Amino acid sequence: MHADSVRNLARRVFVVAVLSAAASSALAQWKPSRPINLIVPWAAGGSTDQVTRVTAGEIEKALGQTVVIINQPGASGAIGTKSALDAAKDGYTWTAGAAQDLGTYETLGSLQTKMSDWHIFLTVANIQVIGVNPATPYKTAKDLIDAMKAQPGKITVATAGVTSAGHNAMDFIAGATGVKYREVPYDGGNPAVVATVSGEAEVTTQLAVEQADMIRGKRLRPLATVSDKPLDLEGFGVIPPLSQTIPGFTAPANYFGIFIPKGVPDEVVKTVQKIWEENIPKSEGLKKYASSRGALFLPTSGEAAQKAVMPAVQANAWMLFGAGKAKVSPDTVGIPKP
């Protein structure tokens, strides 16, 4: 090829690259013209509500626009999630929660959606804790498990419902020990914790972030994390892992974040992606929230987020199916057995 032709080709390639970069940059600069509705499909004060409000503050700073939190509880998160799924795909209606819940609604038959229908933007991973009312006789996880074995189906456990972290924790424990319990469902993690503090239920297995204040205030006694890892809770100390009582016990990480339905303008997704890459990892508010509430700060998005949440989605879906609580087998909706 002649030297001039090579130079002309190089210039054209350079111009195309510059234009492409400019176009990409433009797409990544969505400027919302009105407030964004962010639906929390659980009651106020619970784990989703807590972290979503902190996250919304960071998004507002980055976008220069108000993010309105709307609590819409019901059907273990399915009602509020459906509202976001059915809303106009204009980028102005999002939802939030635990990714493992989002991934199992279809198996439960409560909502026709799956993980691949959403862009997910994760902030923290949470861990469940076995907390009991201090007036109960249970001093250790072994005390509680022995009592559940001695009184099958009698000991009350407050949870946020069938897909909640607290429910999943008890199913993990029941699967590992064979215990039976009496579940008392509430509209969110915070009501479940309050019910245990008041003595309406003896036990709760909701998340550490929901129990933290009551544990520090000695209104709840933490017996163990529902994990193979201990938790060092600021202002309290170390909560031992359940694996100390049940050797080999483990549970997948429970990620929380913001979910945007697919079908919204590409510029919306690219803009939020940019916020997750540049702003969220530096968020002092989210870092402080995680360290003070007993959560892990793990901002993730895109394919990495989809991959990170799948172990919990698989475990949750197949556990619900095994317990007879699912409408269809998880493998029929694309969730392979772990």
Side-chain angles (χ1 to χ4, degrees):
M1 184 179 292
H2 192 277
D4 289 342
S5 298
V6 172
R7 282 193 289 272
N8 289 335
L9 177 60
R11 278 196 292 269
R12 285 199 293 273
V13 169
F14 175 75
V15 169
V16 168
V18 169
L19 291 175
S20 298
S24 176
S25 176
L27 284 173
Q29 293 177 1
W30 177 54
K31 297 291 185 186
S33 58
R34 64 179 190 273
I36 296 164
N37 292 326
L38 180 44
I39 298 171
V40 170
W42 301 94
S47 53
T48 299
D49 187 69
Q50 291 174 15
V51 71
T52 301
R53 289 179 186 275
V54 179
T55 307
E58 298 297 333
I59 295 170
E60 285 181 340
K61 284 189 284 186
L63 288 179
Q65 184 55 268
T66 301
V67 177
V68 180
I69 301 294
I70 301 170
N71 291 94
Q72 190 179 21
S76 294
I79 291 176
T81 304
K82 186 175 188 302
S83 293
L85 189 64
D86 292 344
K89 297 296 185 293
D90 55 10
Y92 285 87
T93 306
W94 308 348
T95 188
Q100 67 175 33
D101 298 344
L102 188 68
T104 51
Y105 288 135
E106 192 169 27
T107 299
L108 287 168
S110 54
L111 182 60
Q112 292 296 307
T113 190
K114 52 187 60 156
M115 293 301 304
S116 57
D117 295 334
W118 301 82
H119 299 284
I120 60 175
F121 301 91
L122 307 176
T123 50
V124 298
N126 281 316
I127 191 168
Q128 297 101 320
V129 167
I130 303 173
V132 299
N133 184 294
T136 64
Y138 320 121
K139 307 296 184 188
T140 66
K142 184 177 184 305
D143 290 344
L144 178 62
I145 291 168
D146 288 347
M148 285 181 165
K149 287 180 177 176
Q151 307 169 66
K154 298 291 186 184
I155 294 176
T156 51
V157 180
T159 77
V162 69
T163 67
S164 70
H167 177 94
N168 294 341
M170 276 314 303
D171 272 2
F172 279 129
I173 294 168
T177 63
V179 300
K180 296 184 184 301
Y181 61 100
R182 183 156 71 88
E183 184 172 15
V184 186
Y186 292 86
D187 273 345
N190 189 51
V193 168
V194 170
T196 310
V197 169
S198 71
E200 197 169 288
E202 293 177 87
V203 182
T204 185
T205 46
Q206 287 296 135
L207 298 165
V209 295
E210 295 164 328
Q211 300 189 49
D213 288 339
M214 296 300 175
I215 291 172
R216 281 191 283 260
K218 300 183 179 178
R219 306 292 299 279
L220 286 178
R221 180 189 300 131
L223 303 184
T225 65
V226 186
S227 172
D228 58 348
K229 297 177 178 58
L231 175 65
D232 190 354
L233 180 63
E234 188 177 292
F236 173 78
V238 177
I239 302 171
L242 188 57
S243 59
Q244 281 189 5
T245 303
I246 308 171
F249 181 88
T250 187
N254 187 1
Y255 287 91
F256 281 61
I258 302 294
F259 313 135
I260 301 177
K262 288 190 176 176
V264 302
D266 196 40
E267 61 179 358
V268 175
V269 179
K270 288 183 180 296
T271 298
V272 178
Q273 181 76 39
K274 187 176 180 183
I275 292 171
W276 245 254
E277 291 170 355
E278 297 180 2
N279 301 73
I280 296 298
K282 301 174 185 172
S283 169
E284 292 302 322
L286 280 167
K287 289 177 184 176
K288 183 178 180 182
Y289 167 81
S291 64
S292 66
R293 308 296 302 184
L296 302 174
F297 180 51
L298 297 170
T300 315
S301 60
E303 287 303 313
Q306 292 278 349
K307 185 177 180 181
V309 303
M310 279 313 293
V313 171
Q314 289 174 273
N316 191 25
W318 282 93
M319 187 168 57
L320 290 167
F321 180 67
K325 296 168 184 171
K327 297 290 186 185
V328 299
S329 177
D331 56 355
T332 65
V333 293
I335 303 175
K337 199 166 187 175

